[in-house]
Amino acid sequence: MSTNSTSESRELVETPDLNGAYPRLDEAGIAALAPLGRRRRVQPEEVLFREGDRECQFFVVLAGKVASVEGHGTPEERVISVHGRGRFLGELSLLTGEGSYYTAVAVNEGEVLAVPASRLRELVARDQGIGDLILRAYLIRRSILIGLGAGLRIIGSRYSPDARRVRDFAARNRLPYRWLDLDGDPGAEALLAQFGVAPQDTPIVILHARVLRNPSNAELAAAAGLPAPSSSPARCDLLVVGSGPGGMSAAVYGASEGLRSMVLDGTATGGQAGTSARIENYLGFPSGISGAELAERAMLQARKFGAEFVVPAEAASIEKDGGQYLVRLADGSPVTATSVVIATGARYRRLDVPQLDHFEKMSVYYAASQAEALLCAGDPVAIVGGGNSAGQAAVFLSAHATEVTLIVREGDLGEHMSRYLVDRITRIPNVHVMTSTEVRELHGEAALEAVTVTDNRTGTRRTIDARALFVFIGMAPCTGWLGGLVDLDDHGFVRTGPGSDGAERSLLETSQPGIFAVGDVRAGSAKRVATAVGEGAMAVRLAFERTRPT
Ligand SMILES: Cc1cc2nc3c(=O)[nH]c(=O)nc-3n(C[C@H](O)[C@H](O)[C@H](O)COP(=O)(O)OP(=O)(O)OC[C@H]3O[C@@H](n4cnc5c(N)ncnc54)[C@H](O)[C@@H]3O)c2cc1C
């Protein structure tokens, strides 16, 4: 769109509805929204909200057309979508409080209904019809923005660990971004010059026309508008550490029961589940649900009941403090709570192979979400692991990579993988399964080019082309921060329930009264989304008996 030229603007055609991203409200829907807002006329080129604005209004187009434009008024201006009568504007940031990733500009003279963001949030929280239609559209719009590489621009060297950290943080938090590689993208240096930044000062993030130089995760989170701690003293009834499915569930049930609930996560909401392309065995979603959507929905639900989220906030230690617990974050700030739910899950172990450190900077991944798929589109990739996560990654990446080699140590793919995934994988022509096989060497200069594997039955070595390596092998629990306060098993998972000391404890209670463990971090847990969710809810019931709402 050239918004400087009204005649050109008028020619803009409405964007088709992509899988429910741009539904049209019918007359009844518009009538239901009308009492919440105000109708007003708009003029051609009028800006309804700008890139970077927070707390924008929710607009329904009643007449004319409105375009969503990235980089409005700059040489890089790009039209994301165009909407006519009955369409509504905005995307997920309107519900989460992030700054808008684009500007909404009236294409021609028309009329809109403007609804305050707070009333929209109330509507989404209570209305099963329109509320759910809007939420679903906003979740899909966020995926479209991620796919388009709209939003943040991250500029840096592919060999820089900080550039990788910033990209990972954006990807895990589902912040849409475009990656400009100083070592491969001719436009990257020109853009740096435009902002007066020297290559040695990278990585930089350009967000809402602001330049952040090598921002910490906390700085990036604050600039993007991710949930920040309130200024009130950090004291709560229920402190949930970790916001995967177990922690989210504890937050939803804790807050809805009236407990003052706070949730910390060191990286991003959603945990491991948030990195899953499609979860197919979670009750109530017969066609599956993406981990990102499950995480966004759960966070909105927990916030609706009043749970407070702080991201990124890594718990570094825990100690007793009278009848309470004191958790200190990595930045030193304290949080005091009557009950604590440990929901810190587990992380994939690293491969024991030479030069892993080197290739981890840019070619080794421990998640396979849309962000990773974009980075390896059109390349051959290898996946290591024989469980469901590796299987799901193979199915998902097969639609983006040219060839996918699945390297499995077991002799039979079905040994640890669900049957439905095995069946699906065997039907995908560009997925090649190597059983009884292990990775021995990684090859390439700065970036990965190939991996050498050995067949454990025959000792035969083979080298396979791979520009990216996805690792989904055994899990290591995230329990280092507990510092010995609660009992762990021999593998570092948190023990719960009646112990060998004969003490009476409920199923999810640790060796410390009032500290519970749920989900993958708990010794003997089933390592599934549904069990983590169930345990999160159950821990709240147990915590409630000890904690009365303040
Ligand atoms: C790619 C993939 C696909 C999967 N697919 C499925 C599936 O289809 N079906 C299924 O049932 N299961 C699936 N799983 C497993 C499922 O995701 C996990 O069992 C589930 O996420 C466990 O939930 P959790 O809440 O216990 O912990 P996690 O999801 O591991 O979340 C833990 C959270 O704690 C945070 N954290 C860790 N340490 C700290 C700290 N010190 N301070 C603050 N925060 C911290 C982490 O950042 C993380 O966000 C999959 C897993 C992966 C990786």
Side-chain angles (χ1 to χ4, degrees):
M1 174 184 191
S2 165
T3 48
N4 301 325
S5 156
T6 314
S7 54
E8 265 181 59
S9 307
R10 279 207 190 100
E11 287 160 21
L12 284 176
V13 289
E14 200 180 41
T15 312
D17 182 14
L18 306 165
N19 307 318
Y22 306 121
R24 200 180 301 283
L25 296 175
D26 58 15
E27 295 309 317
I30 294 174
L33 284 166
L36 303 180
R38 191 173 63 84
R39 296 170 86 108
R40 72 172 172 89
R41 302 293 304 168
V42 291
Q43 298 308 314
E45 320 292 344
E46 184 178 331
V47 169
L48 301 181
F49 57 82
R50 278 184 199 285
E51 212 165 309
D53 282 355
R54 293 204 182 143
E55 287 294 307
C56 312
Q57 289 183 306
F58 170 75
F59 290 99
V60 181
V61 181
L62 300 177
K65 281 187 208 157
V66 178
S68 304
V69 183
E70 189 189 24
H72 178 238
T74 70
E76 288 120 43
E77 182 172 291
R78 149 162 91 145
V79 175
I80 306 272
S81 53
V82 179
H83 307 290
R85 176 164 172 80
R87 294 267 188 95
F88 51 88
L89 310 180
E91 62 93 50
L92 200 59
S93 51
L94 242 164
L95 298 175
T96 60
E98 289 161 61
S100 170
Y101 292 107
Y102 49 73
T103 299
V105 194
V107 173
N108 40 29
E109 197 182 336
E111 191 181 18
V112 293
L113 174 70
V115 177
S118 56
R119 303 198 84 173
L120 171 72
R121 283 196 279 269
E122 284 165 25
L123 179 83
V124 169
R126 71 175 150 75
D127 190 295
Q128 273 197 335
I130 300 181
D132 209 55
L133 181 87
I134 295 170
L135 175 57
R136 176 131 194 80
Y138 277 6
L139 290 165
I140 302 170
R141 290 180 194 186
R142 176 56 63 92
S143 293
I144 290 174
L145 286 186
I146 293 173
L148 285 173
L152 287 62
R153 272 170 294 169
I154 303 174
I155 308 173
S157 163
R158 65 176 80 168
Y159 310 121
S160 153
D162 275 327
R164 171 74 193 259
R165 170 185 58 76
V166 170
R167 274 160 43 199
D168 280 350
F169 185 75
R172 291 287 74 79
N173 283 284
R174 299 172 288 285
L175 304 177
Y177 74 88
R178 180 154 19 123
W179 162 236
L180 291 141
D181 180 6
L182 269 179
D183 300 286
D185 190 327
E189 256 189 76
L191 205 56
L192 280 189
Q194 188 185 321
F195 284 94
V197 178
Q200 60 271 24
D201 293 333
T202 59
I204 62 162
V205 176
I206 303 171
L207 172 60
H208 312 320
R210 268 180 72 195
V211 178
L212 308 172
R213 289 164 199 253
N214 195 8
S216 66
N217 290 352
E219 285 164 342
L220 180 54
L226 293 180
S230 70
S231 49
S232 54
R235 189 173 288 278
C236 54
D237 300 323
L238 181 70
L239 179 65
V240 181
V241 187
S243 69
M248 287 283 199
S249 159
V252 167
Y253 289 98
S256 67
E257 292 291 328
L259 297 178
R260 190 173 164 208
S261 307
M262 184 184 271
V263 189
L264 311 175
D265 201 292
T267 312
T269 53
Q272 295 170 65
T275 69
S276 171
R278 190 144 288 269
I279 297 165
E280 304 216 31
N281 58 354
Y282 188 55
L283 192 74
F285 295 91
S287 55
I289 179 167
S290 83
E293 180 170 346
L294 190 66
E296 295 287 7
R297 282 179 176 271
M299 187 173 80
L300 291 170
Q301 193 176 13
R303 284 171 81 179
K304 168 180 104 170
F305 290 119
E308 186 179 350
F309 282 78
V310 192
V311 180
E314 186 178 335
S317 66
I318 180 167
E319 62 193 78
K320 286 187 190 177
D321 183 17
Q324 308 252 303
Y325 291 101
L326 173 71
V327 171
R328 266 189 205 284
L329 308 190
D331 68 3
S333 44
V335 186
T336 309
T338 312
S339 297
V340 176
V341 173
I342 303 169
T344 43
R347 290 202 178 104
Y348 279 100
R349 289 185 196 283
R350 300 172 72 232
L351 266 184
D352 184 14
V353 60
Q355 286 197 286
L356 182 71
D357 281 350
H358 173 66
F359 288 109
E360 263 180 343
K361 291 190 190 104
M362 71 164 298
S363 310
V364 179
Y365 302 94
Y366 296 90
S369 69
Q370 203 180 358
E372 287 79 18
L374 285 176
L375 291 171
C376 66
D379 286 332
V381 305
I383 301 171
V384 193
N388 280 359
S389 316
Q392 282 178 6
V395 172
F396 176 62
L397 293 171
S398 66
H400 302 270
T402 48
E403 304 292 326
V404 175
T405 306
L406 181 57
I407 302 161
V408 182
R409 196 169 54 175
E410 292 74 29
D412 176 11
L413 189 57
E415 205 164 317
H416 297 303
M417 199 179 287
S418 297
R419 194 70 241 165
Y420 81 92
L421 273 173
V422 176
D423 291 345
R424 200 167 296 175
I425 283 169
T426 44
R427 287 199 301 267
I428 303 177
N430 66 335
V431 177
H432 314 287
V433 180
M434 303 180 85
T435 51
S436 302
T437 301
E438 286 183 57
V439 177
R440 295 283 181 234
E441 287 170 29
L442 308 178
H443 309 279
E445 291 288 314
L448 186 71
E449 284 165 22
V451 297
T452 294
V453 297
T454 305
D455 185 320
N456 291 336
R457 292 161 298 198
T458 60
T460 317
R461 286 165 72 86
R462 262 186 70 184
T463 298
I464 307 154
D465 274 354
R467 305 284 176 275
L469 181 69
F470 292 83
V471 182
F472 297 105
I473 56 175
M475 308 293 291
C478 301
T479 46
W481 65 281
L482 294 168
L485 183 69
V486 300
D487 287 352
L488 306 180
D489 74 2
D490 294 344
H491 303 284
F493 290 87
V494 180
R495 284 189 208 276
T496 57
S500 49
D501 54 3
E504 270 200 30
R505 271 177 218 125
S506 60
L507 187 65
L508 299 175
E509 198 164 26
T510 68
S511 55
Q512 290 294 339
I515 303 187
F516 305 88
V518 304
D520 284 14
V521 76
R522 196 174 70 76
S525 74
K527 314 283 183 285
R528 288 280 180 270
V529 172
T531 43
V533 168
E535 290 179 11
M538 196 168 148
V540 168
R541 186 69 247 144
L542 302 170
F544 198 75
E545 284 162 16
R546 166 187 160 89
T547 315
R548 292 286 155 230
T550 52

